[in-house]
Amino acid sequence: MPEYAKALSKIFGTALDASFDGVVITDNNQPDNPIIYCNQAFCDITGYSMDEIVGHNCRFLQANDRNQKVRKTIAAAVKEGKSCQVDIRNYKKDGSLFWNELSISPVHDENGNITHFIGIQNDISRRKQAEHNLNLERENLEKRVNERTKELQEHEQFLKGIVETIRESLIVLDPELNIALVNRHFEKFFKVNSNELVDHKLTDVLEGSWDIPELINLLRNVLPEHNPFEDFEVVHDFPYIGNRRLMLNASQITVGETYQNWILLAMEDVTERYVIEKKKDDFIAIASHEMKTPITVVKGNLQLLERMLNKGETDGYQPRLKQATDSLENLSRLIANLLDTSMLTSGSTRRSSEVVSIAEIVNITLGEVSEVYSDHDFVLYGNSDLNVVGDRSQLSQVITNLLTNAAKYSKDTKQVILHIGRVGNFAKISVTDTGIGIAKENHKRIFDRFYRVSANDNNYFGAGIGLYISQQIISDHGGTIWVESEIGQGSVFSITIPLSL
Amino acid sequence: MNKKVLIFEDDSATAELSGIIVSQLGFEVAYRSETNDVLNDVLIEKPDLIIMDNWIPGQGGLLSVELLKQTSETSHIPIIFYSANTDFANLATSSKADAYLIKPFNLTDLEAMIGRLIFSNDK
């Protein structure tokens, strides 16, 4: 049997030496658990020879790195006689660190006493390093993801800020023309809440007011081919906000997988601008027409005079000369008015401030106008013994303008009534004609700079500029100007000017 | 029977001027200063030629020309359409007027036009 045991021991020894795991055995019956055996792999891992190892406690492998937490786990296991597994930092003979995956198991005798401990160990430095790198990488990645997320959130906030600040209505549509988003300006402009719009079809919302065939055709058919398109004009009667002229820009966008062929629609309200442009065009058309009219008369009369001169005729030249002169006078007044308009608009007129007698300026202007409209009947009544503070020539201009208009537009009846009176601390001057009258809807607009009564009603050519100037002058003087009139019933133009007290 | 020209013109000086030319050519003249009832005016006056201003109270020159040229009783009467409007040439050529003049015009042009058109219905 000893032979057999000996052979077996040799086989075990060989087997242990063939293992890649380091094996170490300590004797628990001797003080401090000295190492009594280690295999070749243990020597290979640690760099020590067996002779250098035997007799030491295993802790010699920890060198000066003595504060590792896992030591407590080992100590507890040894004390309680249990097995344990730990990863511990050990040091090779040359001082280099290696991570040791250590399993410790106690060996009991037949009485249950612990005789030995067997330690199995592995150099897991590479695995540890990989784990460590992996951890680092993970932490890095997490940090980078956090940073990137923050950046994206900030970016989104920033873009959102831009979108919300922009003074244009923006709407985002999915490829089926469902509304995905509208900005605040859109809500404000159309007087709607985005809740009422989002996830609904563009053609269904706002009582179908966006169901505009040309627009839908544009978004569905034109946009995919001509992306982006700009300046598509829509004139439409929208709920809550009425008739509006909008300029639309659209672009089709594809971002990643989620946003394929989405549509961004930006709209600008050009209603006011269009009205102003239109008024300006009208003004130029009227101004040039009004200038050409007296020029026609001057030219015609000069040609007639030339003929008379050639024929040696002297009869009848006077009315021709007078008509030419009067027309030139009209032309020059018109030009002066036009200049006044631009100066009043740019605020470059200088207004003198003196005490002006209403009686005086009314008498002078009435004299001048009644001379031009000699077949008209001008009636003056009331109390004109009033003084105001202001610019004499500007105030005269207003009265002249009102009298001239009244005379001009009451061709048939030829009667103009001028009433002057005191109302509170104001002088009130009213000019009444018995002419064609003005429709209610035009009462305010006739004082606009570029206003003329619509193309089908050609009755008020030339009146627009004068009334605009008058209104500017009177409001500069702290007064008001207005009209009361009905079609066919004549008109009463009234002004008030603060009295000089 | 003397030929007659009906002038629709709201500017009295221009109307007078055109009237002088018509008279000097030896024709009769009638005037209207608005276009509220053009058809009736023409049916009453029975002119051989009409001179029509564009910007004139009432329905205005363009609609008046259209109306007169659409109405069988008046469609044969030649119309000289004139105006001080900018871009009047386009407007006038698209209308049914027989001739047009841009203000300010030369008296000789007006005379030539009247002379050419006033006898156009004579056979």
Side-chain angles (χ1 to χ4, degrees):
Chain A
M1 274 308 264
E3 279 292 316
Y4 179 74
K6 208 170 164 185
L8 199 61
S9 157
K10 194 175 174 196
I11 288 165
F12 279 143
T14 310
L16 282 170
D17 279 343
S19 164
F20 284 112
D21 294 340
V23 179
V24 63
I25 302 170
T26 64
D27 187 348
N28 196 38
N29 290 324
Q30 294 189 50
D32 204 24
N33 251 315
I35 296 168
I36 55 161
Y37 169 81
C38 70
N39 69 350
Q40 187 55 43
F42 188 91
C43 296
D44 293 343
I45 291 168
T46 62
Y48 292 100
S49 67
M50 201 199 287
D51 296 345
E52 292 169 311
I53 293 165
V54 168
H56 288 82
N57 178 284
C58 281
R59 83 173 76 85
F60 88 98
L61 284 170
Q62 295 163 24
N64 295 321
D65 189 1
R66 308 303 293 267
N67 293 320
Q68 300 183 61
K69 272 188 189 156
V70 292
R71 284 193 64 215
K72 283 191 178 148
T73 317
I74 299 168
V78 171
K79 195 175 170 200
E80 289 169 29
K82 290 183 174 166
S83 19
C84 78
Q85 186 169 16
V86 294
D87 290 348
I88 185 165
R89 285 194 296 276
N90 282 171
Y91 295 86
K92 297 186 184 182
K93 190 179 174 183
D94 64 8
S96 61
L97 167 81
F98 71 97
W99 276 95
N100 188 359
E101 184 188 65
L102 177 64
S103 307
I104 297 170
S105 311
V107 182
H108 298 91
D109 64 12
E110 49 273 17
N111 300 320
N113 298 318
I114 296 168
T115 57
H116 299 85
F117 280 97
I118 298 171
I120 310 289
Q121 48 192 11
N122 262 312
D123 181 355
I124 53 158
S125 295
R126 278 158 85 182
R127 202 179 83 201
K128 270 285 169 193
Q129 188 61 41
E131 268 176 26
H132 180 67
N133 287 347
L134 204 66
N135 269 339
L136 270 184
E137 196 58 39
R138 207 181 56 219
E139 278 168 27
N140 250 337
L141 196 70
E142 217 171 274
K143 205 172 139 204
R144 285 217 313 270
V145 165
N146 283 341
E147 276 172 10
R148 192 83 188 106
T149 307
K150 198 168 160 240
E151 221 171 82
L152 281 172
Q153 280 169 345
E154 284 170 0
H155 198 62
E156 200 188 315
Q157 282 301 112
F158 180 63
L159 290 179
K160 213 174 158 198
I162 293 175
V163 165
E164 291 300 353
T165 311
I166 233 162
R167 289 178 61 83
E168 248 182 43
S169 299
L170 278 178
I171 186 165
V172 181
L173 304 166
D174 74 7
E176 274 72 52
L177 303 186
N178 291 306
I179 299 170
L181 186 129
V182 298
N183 72 344
R184 212 174 298 148
H185 191 271
F186 187 100
E187 296 180 277
K188 233 171 83 186
F189 180 74
F190 288 99
K191 297 192 169 43
V192 282
N193 199 302
S194 71
N195 301 338
E196 302 167 47
L197 306 173
V198 170
D199 295 335
H200 290 92
K201 265 205 152 29
L202 179 70
T203 45
D204 296 342
V205 297
L206 288 166
E207 299 163 26
S209 63
W210 280 100
D211 195 1
I212 305 165
E214 301 96 307
L215 175 69
I216 304 303
N217 175 50
L218 208 66
L219 295 178
R220 282 196 198 286
N221 306 319
V222 182
L223 185 58
E225 314 262 305
H226 305 276
N227 185 30
F229 72 73
E230 287 182 354
D231 295 342
F232 175 72
E233 210 174 78
V234 172
V235 182
H236 200 77
D237 198 2
F238 291 98
Y240 316 125
I241 58 167
N243 205 60
R244 290 281 156 171
R245 181 175 295 264
L246 303 176
M247 201 63 99
L248 307 189
N249 285 3
S251 48
Q252 199 176 52
I253 43 171
T254 293
V255 182
E257 297 282 307
T258 325
Y259 303 102
Q260 295 270 339
N261 298 327
W262 283 47
I263 297 167
L264 203 60
L265 194 60
M267 52 203 86
E268 190 187 355
D269 179 20
V270 294
T271 317
E272 305 300 321
R273 200 200 305 161
Y274 181 81
V275 169
I276 290 170
E277 298 267 315
K278 179 92 176 48
K279 280 183 174 181
K280 211 163 145 184
D281 290 349
D282 283 355
F283 176 75
I284 290 166
I286 295 164
S288 69
H289 177 272
E290 292 305 292
M291 285 199 255
K292 281 178 186 167
T293 301
I295 290 172
T296 306
V297 176
V298 173
K299 185 174 176 179
N301 279 297
L302 287 179
Q303 289 180 355
L304 282 176
L305 283 167
E306 195 184 11
R307 288 178 182 187
M308 292 165 123
L309 197 66
N310 290 342
K311 288 182 197 162
E313 288 175 14
T314 47
D315 281 359
Y317 74 91
Q318 246 168 344
R320 303 279 62 81
L321 267 181
K322 185 173 183 334
Q323 207 172 53
T325 316
D326 288 350
S327 290
L328 281 177
E329 195 55 49
N330 284 342
L331 182 61
S332 117
R333 198 178 308 126
L334 181 76
I335 290 169
N337 274 348
L338 290 174
L339 291 177
D340 281 351
T341 311
S342 66
M343 278 196 285
L344 282 167
T345 313
S346 63
S348 63
T349 41
R350 205 175 296 133
R351 178 164 79 87
S352 68
S353 202
E354 55 189 319
V355 175
V356 179
S357 155
I358 293 291
E360 191 193 324
I361 56 169
V362 164
N363 285 327
I364 293 172
T365 51
L366 197 53
E368 287 169 357
V369 176
S370 58
E371 201 175 305
V372 176
Y373 292 88
S374 51
D375 48 355
H376 277 64
D377 183 18
F378 291 89
V379 181
L380 170 65
Y381 75 108
N383 166 29
S384 63
D385 188 17
L386 299 166
N387 288 329
V388 297
V389 175
D391 186 301
R392 185 187 306 272
S393 76
Q394 284 191 2
L395 291 174
S396 301
Q397 193 185 345
V398 174
I399 297 167
T400 304
N401 182 242
L402 295 184
L403 289 174
T404 312
N405 281 349
K408 203 162 152 190
Y409 298 118
S410 47
K411 276 180 194 156
D412 302 333
T413 55
K414 301 199 188 303
Q415 194 182 49
V416 176
I417 301 161
L418 187 63
H419 177 260
I420 300 167
R422 178 177 173 162
V423 284
N425 290 331
F426 291 85
K428 181 181 174 188
I429 303 171
S430 298
V431 178
T432 305
D433 66 56
T434 45
I436 51 179
I438 302 161
K440 273 235 154 35
E441 64 266 25
N442 293 325
H443 285 188
K444 284 225 160 60
R445 289 190 284 173
I446 53 171
F447 296 104
D448 279 0
R449 182 179 172 196
F450 299 124
Y451 187 70
R452 73 174 161 95
V453 176
S454 71
N456 286 333
D457 184 356
N458 301 306
N459 298 328
Y460 280 87
F461 294 144
I465 311 156
L467 287 176
Y468 170 75
I469 293 168
S470 300
Q471 200 238 6
Q472 293 292 305
I473 291 173
I474 294 302
S475 90
D476 270 4
H477 281 77
T480 47
I481 183 168
W482 72 97
V483 65
E484 285 156 74
S485 178
E486 262 175 60
I487 289 283
Q489 302 292 310
S491 309
V492 185
F493 280 87
S494 300
I495 55 173
T496 56
I497 313 159
L499 290 170
S500 123
L501 294 172
Chain B
M1 204 180 109
N2 207 357
K3 296 280 180 192
K4 188 190 208 175
V5 178
L6 177 57
I7 299 173
F8 287 90
E9 170 63 77
D10 65 324
D11 182 74
S12 54
T14 310
E16 190 182 329
L17 212 63
S18 304
I20 289 172
I21 294 302
V22 173
S23 305
Q24 286 183 353
L25 288 170
F27 308 127
E28 221 180 292
V29 199
Y31 302 97
R32 291 292 185 281
S33 62
E34 39 73 28
T35 52
N36 289 308
D37 201 359
V38 194
L39 206 54
N40 199 36
D41 291 336
V42 173
L43 292 174
I44 288 169
E45 297 288 349
K46 297 188 177 42
D48 301 283
L49 174 76
I50 294 165
I51 297 177
M52 177 67 74
D53 182 31
N54 186 32
W55 275 7
I56 178 167
Q59 62 177 334
L62 191 64
L63 290 177
S64 297
V65 169
E66 202 173 303
L67 177 68
L68 291 170
K69 287 297 180 187
Q70 273 172 2
T71 308
S72 55
E73 297 101 303
T74 55
S75 63
H76 64 284
I77 306 171
I79 301 176
I80 297 173
F81 197 15
Y82 69 8
S83 172
N85 292 145
T86 13
D87 202 27
F88 180 63
N90 278 334
L91 186 86
T93 44
S94 69
S95 80
K96 294 236 164 58
D98 301 81
Y100 73 90
L101 266 180
I102 294 168
K103 292 182 188 174
F105 52 84
N106 287 318
L107 298 184
T108 46
D109 292 339
L110 180 61
E111 282 167 343
M113 256 175 214
I114 296 171
R116 176 164 62 85
L117 292 170
I118 200 159
F119 299 107
S120 56
N121 285 312
D122 294 359
K123 290 274 155 146

